[in-house]
Amino acid sequence: MSDTPTPAQAKVRVPADDLRAFSAALLEKGGLGPEHARTTADVAVWAALRGVESHGIARVPAYLDLLAKGVANADARIRIEASTPAAAVLDADRAPGPVALTAAAAEAVDRARTNGVAAVGVRGTVHTGAIGYYVSKIAEQGLVGIGFVAGMPNMGYTGVKGAAVATSPLAVAVPAEDHAPLLLDMATATIALGRIRQAKANGTPLPEGAAATADGTPTTDPEQAVMPLPLGGAKGSGMSLAFELLTSVLVGAPIFAAFHSDDPAGRKHRQNALLIALDPAAFGGTDGFTAAVDDTLSTLKSLPTADGADGVYYPGERSAAVAADRAARGVPVAPKVWRDLTERAAQLGVALPATAE
């Protein structure tokens, strides 16, 4: 028997356009209409390009499962309920998150163009995907995008035994002229659930104060950890609760209270969101704003670099550089994800895309 270790499988690289078309074809075979399939694929590939693997191409099989189980509605009847010119609610009818939030972002941009500010709540969607995508779409139009999401409780809350609130994310995108847009995209948890699964697979300990057992006891043992702990303790858990009020409660579809009630229906998977668009023109002018954004970002990057740091970066800068590199060289797909995609393609009769290496 050879003592030579088996080399780890290399990631497959797929050109972004091919990966997008392939993903859309899978999703269309899974039941989505062509337009909705393309939209959902675009969100997944956008995240993969930027190195956000948890919301990248691995989400395609996950969406196929949600559609197959009827959790996500392939034939959703999305409708807009307007209350004022600058505010509206989009009823998603359990459409996949990329479909619902892309529509909400477009609605927010249209209303902000007329009113200076617009807020669009999203009621009853299913897994929003990378929230940074939607605020980035707003920023591409020269507006500031802000987004919140609330979902099913899967994270601890300071002082509570067991899971209490969701790892609800916040995202802000601010357009610039010469720099890549600022993109702050963060969860209210210290680490992602995927990080716990990865640590378990690798047998590596988790950081102190990052995860907990089922009863909420902090642990570094990935075998015992089942949920993340909130970022900054009471700060992260408080933010998550606030996002539930700003999204779910605001659109008349509470998740937190229903989840912790005696009604089993309260545990049915769903998410809500709020997207806000701000038009700089309503606050004094677009040109002056984006020039000042550039000046702010340039000032930050000109500050003295701390010992041991490889540079000074603003939110979204490094992921934009990753996206540029992957757009040129292809998107790396992990072996396990590629095997899953290959199996799905065989089942659904979809041709595999050409690989870059």
Side-chain angles (χ1 to χ4, degrees), residues 140-266:
E140 286 177 7
Q141 301 302 313
L143 282 65
V144 175
I146 304 171
F148 308 94
V149 171
M152 307 303 290
N154 59 356
M155 181 177 78
Y157 186 96
T158 303
V160 174
K161 184 177 182 179
V165 291
T167 55
S168 300
L170 156 71
V172 179
V174 183
E177 289 183 5
D178 299 326
H179 290 83
L182 178 143
L183 175 58
L184 174 68
D185 188 348
M186 55 172 282
T188 49
T190 300
I191 60 172
L193 280 167
R195 174 85 178 276
I196 296 175
R197 290 191 289 268
Q198 185 178 34
K200 183 176 181 179
N202 296 336
T204 55
L206 293 161
E208 290 280 353
T213 61
D215 67 0
T217 302
T219 181
T220 60
D221 184 353
E223 293 291 339
Q224 300 297 320
V226 299
M227 65 179 178
L229 288 170
L231 181 68
K235 294 179 181 179
S237 56
M239 287 173 66
S240 177
L241 185 62
F243 296 169
E244 164 73 3
L245 299 177
L246 290 173
T247 58
S248 306
V249 175
L250 191 66
V251 300
I255 293 177
F256 176 83
F259 180 90
H260 291 291
S261 73
D262 295 328
D263 185 358

Side-chain angles (χ1 to χ4, degrees), residues 17 59 72 96 116 152 175 187 236 259 272 290 298 310:
D17 288 344
R59 295 309 314 172
M152 307 303 290
F259 180 90
N272 301 307
T290 52
S298 294
D310 63 354

